[in-house]
Amino acid sequence: MPRWLRWTLASLVAVVVLVVVVLALLPTFIDVNRYRDRVVAEVERALGRQITLDRLSLSFLPTPTLGLEGLVVGVPGAPAEGRIPPGERFVALDRLELKLRLLPLLSRRIDVSRLVLERPEIVVERDAKGVLSIADLLGAPAQAPAGPGPAPSPQPGGASPLAALLVQRIEIRQGALTFRDRAVVPGKEVTTSVADLDAALRDLSLDRPIGVSLQATFLSRTPQNVSLSGTLGPLGPDADLLAAPADLSAALIDLDLDQVAAYAGARSGAAASPLTLGGTGSVKAAVTGPLGAPALDLAVDLTPAGVAYGAAFAKQPGVPLTLSAKTTSAQAGSGTPVIQVNPLVLTLHTLVLTATGTVANPTSPAVDLQVTSNEARLAGWDALVPALAGVGLGGRAALDATVRGQTSGGAQPLDVAGTLRLMDLDVKHQALPEPITNGEATVRFTGKGASIEPLRVTIGQSTLTLRAEVPDYSRRYVRFSLESPRLDLDPLVAGAAATSGEPGAAASPAASPAAPRRSPARGPAGTRSSSGEAVAGLSADGTVQVRQGTLKGVEFTDLRGDLKLRDRVFTLENLTFGLYGGTYTGSGVADLRGRVPSVTFASRLANVKANDILSANTSLKGVVFGLLSANLDIEGAGTDAATFLQSLTGEGKFSLTDGRLATIDVLDRLRALVTLAKEGQAPPAASGQSKGTAFKSLAGRVRIDDGKFITPDLDLSAADFALSGSGALGFDQTLAYRMRASIPGGLARQLLGRDLSRLLAADQSGRVDIPFTLGGTLASPTFGLSGRFIEERLKAKLGREVDENLQRGLERLLRGRGAGGGRPPQGEGGAAGEAAPGASPAPKSDPRQLLKDLFR
């Protein structure tokens, strides 16, 4: 190496070493704190904020570095002098380092190449009017500081103050960010915090993309669960952040939803949100294009989380719940921002819902979406919808619809048009004796309303076809028709009673219908029946047609009727059906408005086989035969069958023709009673079963009260005798009647004997009227004979000629007094009681001797 080159290199090395030594020793001779006030003034001018600074430091190796320690930047309006109180700080950091370029510094200019913030604490606030505390830094006019001191100079041309602080790189180390929001919940402050913030902005300039990277801890127990990376910008000469293009990717993992729940639903201003969250979730997003109208690729996974919304929805952890969306943004001709959704996919349990379309004006969204779904399996949805608890669902459902309208703040609901298909629907519930199977339906949404076209289901042996229409949701009105070739109503009635608590039917429509006769029972003024709340505000008109069916064991055919609902009042009109060889017609009202539901009904029966209807509804099988016709108006109130029957009242009339009372042989019982009266003992019981009492007609008026059918004018007409009387038949089938048998002369002579029937005759034809009592039950009736009428009839016949012998004869005849004494008289006026099997006979009297004494 030439000597001159060696000397040159040595000289250069010496110069470099000298420069390094000088730069290393220079800060010891320079008091940079003399420039602190100037630095503070420059930063205040750039930011438009008041700041405080503890001290400055300066080093030249490896690069010139200016350190600002104890730096605090105030919020707009913070004090112009002195310390800034903690509650009025925008930024407070331990140390701010500014890496300076050397050459501009030699020219007495500060050119920052790198800015490092050590442990900054940043507080951003939004007031009740929605104004951010950093609005002045985002391009809005700077607020003048409160208090004394000169106002910062505004930037020329309205440019952002950030333009003066653009550097090559900004770093944040172990920062914290707090956002205090007073605009979310009126009258309250909602706070969100970010911790462990490490961030870097690279290549900061107005004309080049800015590199962004960030890690932080946000609403999570997992450290630095948030990440952000990509580029932003160029910002342009005006540093317009919303117009800056972006290419950013973000991820939030292990998001603690218990903390998120504190903010959910707060936008509505409700004191407590119906939305509850628990567990963890994750969000991943990619943003490209202008920040004000970006393209978004979003993925949300709440599968590990528990999510509930009031009493309407409850998802347990582990049930799939994800949302993915790909959107692009633009502006409509009017300048309104428009988000193009292509597509949005929501997965919940077995449902996969896909939506494509547009969302205009995101601040007050107006949607125009096409929504489709897979054929979602319905099994397991009872665990997500509390209203379906205990309901076993099976089958599939699929949706294809368009959704248009304002999602919030609009007076009109969303306009939904399309179809919902139900396939192979199965429903099981403990309240249903038979499951609902093979359900098929198409629900068509028409925008303002909806229709079912139709719903077909099988319930046990029953098949139902339901067509329904809601012309306009706002009217809450339904039209429907129900048809069935075979319908067993018992499972439906049992299920409805078990699930809704409605009063159960006390009997079949034929057995206990009712009609409006006076005002239905109502509860106290202003009270509402809980049983009617489910249909409050609803109106409906419908028809029912059933070819064949059963209710409470009653078989009916060709049932038709019209049903109306108005203000919790059900009205059934024009109800007709065939019933055991005859017909039934009726109408009625069920009023659910009061504290206790009330029912009124009017029924008409014509030529119904009495034994068939009684056998199907009561234990009186084979007791009463004939063709039954009746008119009956009843009313009652109650929340269950027992109280309803207790309150039941009504009136009407009935008739039985060409019938038979199988358990009551009137003539045989009268013969036995008269024989007991004559001879003191009952005749031998007839062998075999009773032949009963055949009649041509049995009719009368009836009144229902106090658990009884009261008949004031009962009349029975048989081939050779007649009965009349009054009394009551209890709901428990007990009998309490006073009757009179009118027996023609010939039949009376057979029963009473020629002489006694002549003396007891009621007219010249020899007809005898015998009063008796009827008790017991319909299945096992008892008879009692009143003997006073015999004594009175004989006295009327013989008049004053009755002497003491006659009196003794009457006593012996009517009271069973013989030579050996006798029992006290039975029944009314000494009546002889019914000859019950096994009873001790009265002392025997000789009827011949009695007659001799009588006619001596």
Side-chain angles (χ1 to χ4, degrees), residues 396-721:
R396 295 163 292 137
L399 176 68
D400 186 356
T402 58
V403 181
R404 297 186 177 93
Q406 211 75 21
T407 60
S408 63
Q412 297 297 325
L414 288 174
D415 187 318
V416 180
T419 58
L420 171 66
R421 293 184 297 117
L422 299 175
M423 298 155 282
D424 302 324
L425 178 65
D426 292 339
V427 180
K428 297 179 181 179
H429 192 273
Q430 61 181 0
L432 294 174
E434 300 283 352
I436 298 173
T437 59
N438 302 322
E440 301 285 342
T442 298
V443 182
R444 192 174 304 279
F445 303 100
T446 59
K448 293 184 178 180
S451 61
I452 299 176
E453 304 177 351
L455 169 65
R456 295 185 177 91
V457 297
T458 300
I459 307 176
Q461 301 299 314
S462 303
T463 302
L464 293 174
T465 300
L466 173 67
R467 292 178 172 85
E469 180 185 8
V470 180
D472 190 335
Y473 296 127
S474 62
R475 292 176 53 197
R476 304 194 69 190
Y477 171 75
V478 181
R479 287 194 297 262
F480 70 92
S481 66
L482 178 66
E483 299 177 1
S484 174
R486 172 72 189 182
L487 180 59
D488 181 4
L489 287 171
D490 291 330
L492 300 180
V493 172
T499 55
S500 68
E502 297 293 335
S508 69
S512 61
R517 184 170 56 89
R518 61 175 182 248
S519 299
R522 296 294 305 275
T527 62
R528 296 291 186 183
S529 169
S530 60
S531 60
E533 291 303 318
V535 293
L538 291 178
S539 298
D541 288 290
T543 61
V544 179
Q545 298 185 42
V546 180
R547 189 178 305 166
Q548 186 179 12
T550 60
L551 175 60
K552 298 291 185 180
V554 176
E555 297 279 348
F556 59 85
T557 58
D558 298 325
L559 182 147
R560 296 174 181 270
D562 300 325
L563 182 65
K564 294 183 178 180
L565 170 63
R566 300 289 187 277
D567 189 23
R568 287 169 291 174
V569 177
F570 289 90
T571 303
L572 181 60
E573 299 177 337
N574 305 318
L575 177 62
T576 64
F577 53 85
L579 184 68
Y580 298 122
T583 58
Y584 170 88
T585 60
S587 61
V589 174
D591 190 340
L592 307 183
R593 293 175 297 179
R595 180 174 55 87
V596 178
S598 63
V599 175
T600 59
F601 222 91
S603 297
R604 305 291 181 265
L605 291 174
N607 299 322
V608 174
K609 295 178 181 179
N611 181 58
D612 291 351
I613 190 172
L614 291 176
S615 298
N617 290 274
T618 70
S619 61
L620 300 177
K621 184 176 182 180
V623 174
V624 180
F625 295 83
L627 296 179
L628 173 65
S629 298
N631 297 337
L632 188 61
D633 298 345
I634 66 170
E635 63 181 40
T639 55
D640 53 56
T643 56
F644 180 80
L645 284 176
Q646 187 177 4
S647 69
L648 193 64
T649 60
E651 59 183 17
K653 58 183 180 180
F654 74 97
S655 67
L656 274 166
T657 58
D658 299 325
R660 181 167 64 92
L661 302 176
T663 60
I664 303 176
D665 190 335
V666 174
L667 294 182
D668 183 67
R669 295 299 179 94
L670 289 177
R671 180 182 65 83
L673 291 174
V674 172
T675 300
L676 178 62
K678 289 171 55 180
E679 302 181 1
Q681 64 180 5
S687 60
Q689 295 182 347
S690 171
K691 67 179 181 180
T693 299
F695 57 84
K696 294 181 180 179
S697 67
L698 174 61
R701 291 176 296 140
V702 63
R703 178 169 56 87
I704 299 175
D705 197 7
D706 196 24
K708 300 175 183 177
F709 294 95
I710 302 170
T711 51
D713 53 358
L714 187 66
D715 288 305
L716 181 146
S717 175
D720 48 6
F721 73 98

Side-chain angles (χ1 to χ4, degrees), residues 139 154-160 237-238:
Q155 294 296 313
S160 169
D238 295 331

